[in-house]
Amino acid sequence: MTPPDEKHIPTGPHLPFAGIASFARAPIVAPDGEWSADAAVLGIPFDIALGFRPGARFAPRAIREASLRYAIPVGGFHEFRTGRPRLAGVSVVDAGDVVMPSLEPELMRDRVTAAARAVRRRTRLPLFLGGDHSVTFPLLCAFDDVPDLHVVQIDAHLDYTDVRNDTRYSNSSPFRRATESLPNLAHITVLGLRGLRIDAEALAASRARGHTLVGAWDCAPLDGVMSRLPEGKPVYISFDVDVLDPAVLPATSSPEVDGLSYGAAMALIEAVARRNHVVGMDIVELAPGLDTSGNSALLIARLAIESMAAVLDPRPDEGAAS
Ligand code: MN
Ligand code: MN
């Protein structure tokens, strides 16, 4: 028998369950390294600022693992819907995770802002993977130089509470802190609201600032919400996975019944991307341990890839506003 020839040990491509996990098998880079790419992923494995079920610190790794199923093929994905390739030639890198202190939320925020600034300088579309929703405040601080910045928050909850349980920087308050700190943050549109425990003071403060607040029941079909979306603006999208129905995505800290379908949520992201210049996006509050099937992480990996496509390679009927 001929001994195996070491020259013929293949190095890839791997099946989706094998190999070392980077986001969609993108090259791994340092946030401040020598690189440039159309899209870059940065993980923020932090979940000590939430008031209910923990686990979002495990989301960046779970999304990376699930995303191996969606490694972008050479030549792009061949879409049944349009019959054309998507994301062909789009470069993606994985900038790893922000290095977290064990506690020290203030240090966490400084590090997140610094890493997000570094990534922003090197890519057209930074995609941040939380973490609980408190990470969006330090992320938005990295966009303090964008004039007339608009935020589209897709979320079952308002997250505009001033103080909850003696805490000012929890996942209930990122947008309150952001509007206090960032003079360039012009407007917030919240899509998918339906939480039962809404904070009346936060609601009044949000309305007083003129924010656009849309209930989940008005988000689908899309026609009902189109006139309320920003248009022609630099937009940061903050996607809290609990906007999805818990039957679709159970793996989140604070699920609320009667949420959006995957298709309805993607239609919102595509509509926002079509009408605006998306400067960045985060996906937060996935707690993968709360869904032993792994389906929640798979769904979010696909949502991340399709969001990249919505911004960087929109379908012909979507048009490109950027
Ligand atoms: Mn929420
Ligand atoms: Mn939220």
Side-chain angles (χ1 to χ4, degrees):
M1 199 170 114
T2 316
D5 183 347
E6 289 189 14
K7 286 179 192 157
H8 294 121
I9 297 173
T11 56
H14 280 298
L15 289 160
F17 47 82
I20 295 166
S22 65
F23 182 84
R25 298 213 191 276
I28 296 170
V29 299
D32 59 352
E34 297 253 333
W35 56 270
S36 70
D38 298 317
V41 167
L42 179 69
I44 303 121
F46 177 88
D47 70 357
I48 63 173
L50 41 71
F52 196 27
R53 307 185 297 178
R57 69 180 63 181
F58 297 103
R61 180 167 290 176
I63 295 168
R64 283 192 179 93
E65 188 168 336
S67 75
L68 299 179
R69 196 152 177 260
Y70 300 114
I72 303 170
V74 176
F77 292 105
H78 288 274
E79 239 193 4
F80 176 66
R81 181 165 158 186
T82 58
R84 78 173 190 97
R86 289 197 92 188
L87 290 171
V90 169
S91 58
V92 183
V93 300
D94 187 334
D97 290 340
V98 179
V99 176
M100 288 293 160
S102 304
L103 204 57
E104 309 299 351
E106 197 173 340
L107 180 57
M108 176 283 282
R109 291 196 292 277
D110 289 347
R111 288 185 181 178
V112 168
T113 302
R117 273 193 215 286
V119 168
R120 251 194 81 198
R121 276 197 283 271
R122 292 161 172 81
T123 187
R124 160 72 184 83
L125 178 66
L127 180 62
F128 308 109
L129 307 177
D132 68 51
H133 217 155
S134 72
V135 305
T136 298
F137 170 52
L139 287 170
L140 285 172
C141 289
F143 293 81
D144 60 355
D145 60 334
V146 179
D148 197 28
L149 179 66
H150 282 235
V151 166
V152 172
Q153 175 195 352
I154 307 176
D155 196 333
H157 310 101
L158 194 57
D159 294 357
Y160 205 68
T161 298
D162 186 16
V163 180
R164 178 167 289 173
N165 304 116
D166 307 315
T167 304
R168 286 170 48 78
Y169 294 92
S170 76
N171 67 342
S172 294
S173 303
F175 300 99
R176 188 68 165 263
R177 298 291 88 84
T179 55
E180 289 168 352
S181 310
L182 302 170
N184 65 311
L185 204 175
H187 188 81
I188 298 178
T189 303
V190 193
L191 306 172
L193 288 166
R194 64 185 190 282
L196 187 61
R197 302 165 67 252
I198 202 154
D199 178 333
E201 190 276 339
L203 185 61
S206 174
R207 285 191 170 133
R209 202 170 176 274
H211 295 171
T212 302
L213 310 180
V214 184
W217 50 90
D218 284 332
C219 286
L222 191 59
D223 291 352
V225 73
M226 283 297 280
S227 65
R228 308 184 72 186
L229 300 180
E231 191 160 10
K233 301 292 184 185
V235 167
Y236 180 96
I237 298 175
S238 187
F239 188 89
D240 182 330
V241 305
D242 69 29
V243 78
L244 295 163
D245 193 275
V248 173
L249 186 134
T252 193
S253 173
S254 306
E256 305 286 352
V257 293
D258 273 346
L260 271 56
S261 69
Y262 178 86
M266 266 321 303
L268 290 176
I269 293 168
E270 286 173 355
V272 171
R274 180 161 64 237
R275 294 157 66 103
N276 298 280
H277 180 83
V278 176
V279 297
M281 177 171 177
D282 65 47
I283 301 175
V284 297
E285 296 285 349
L286 173 71
L290 297 174
D291 176 3
T292 52
S293 78
N295 286 349
S296 297
L298 275 170
L299 184 158
I300 291 303
R302 176 161 169 172
L303 185 132
I305 291 278
E306 291 207 87
S307 297
M308 283 181 181
V311 175
L312 298 172
D313 187 18
R315 295 187 185 93
D317 60 319
E318 288 167 3
S322 52

